Amino acid sequence: MSALRILRHLLTPPWVLNRAFPSRVLAAIEAAVKGSEARHRGEIRFAVEAGLDLGDLRLGLSTRERAVEVFSRLRVWDTAENTGVLVYVQWVDRRVEIVADRGIAARVGQTEWNGICRAMEAAFRARQYEQGAVDAVAAVGALLAKHFPARHNNPNELSDRPVLLR
């Protein structure tokens, strides 16, 4: 664990997320999630976290491990068909992770999710936050539509609203 990483996490204020994710960008992400979920039985949650707290940093928590914690905290696993997906952005580390519930993980490999993550990270490096997020939601939705197409009864089990973790 580098001292520089710890300092970046501890000194980055949560409001920094408002620059990249103002209300109009959050609304665009929410609309993308809602539109995507009309085509499949999956449930997509989108979460962005500025920095980790000192306890997580001392434990050496990886972005993937934190994404799994957020998956649980947001109850993304709580769907009838185990078809929840979390798109998690760790802002300070500039990393994206996608965590899929077991129903999806049985059909979609991590390699496919990693491709979406790396594309989103590239968009964010180019400061294309809205487009990167919306494109990632669309790519996740395309995979879900392929493996879990919508049925006649397609309830919305989780909130479509993105979450800024503070």
Side-chain angles (χ1 to χ4, degrees), residues 84-107:
V85 175
L86 172 68
V87 178
Y88 172 78
V89 178
Q90 206 313 297
W91 188 253
V92 172
D93 288 336
R94 303 286 195 232
R95 297 287 298 168
V96 176
E97 288 287 340
I98 295 176
V99 179
D101 204 347
R102 64 186 177 269
I104 294 170
R107 295 189 191 176

Side-chain angles (χ1 to χ4, degrees), residues 61-124:
L61 200 68
S62 71
T63 305
R64 180 71 184 181
E65 291 166 332
R66 179 60 181 157
V68 171
E69 284 184 3
V70 172
F71 180 90
S72 177
R73 178 175 157 195
L74 296 178
R75 299 177 59 100
V76 180
W77 51 266
D78 195 13
T79 62
E81 292 186 70
N82 299 311
T83 55
V85 175
L86 172 68
V87 178
Y88 172 78
V89 178
Q90 206 313 297
W91 188 253
V92 172
D93 288 336
R94 303 286 195 232
R95 297 287 298 168
V96 176
E97 288 287 340
I98 295 176
V99 179
D101 204 347
R102 64 186 177 269
I104 294 170
R107 295 189 191 176
V108 180
Q110 190 61 43
T111 303
E112 292 182 86
W113 300 125
N114 290 345
I116 296 169
C117 293
R118 301 303 78 88
M120 192 166 149
E121 290 168 357
F124 285 6

Side-chain angles (χ1 to χ4, degrees), residues 118-141:
R118 301 303 78 88
M120 192 166 149
E121 290 168 357
F124 285 6
R125 279 193 299 275
R127 299 182 186 268
Q128 297 174 346
Y129 308 113
E130 180 177 349
Q131 194 62 52
V134 168
D135 287 351
V137 168
V140 168

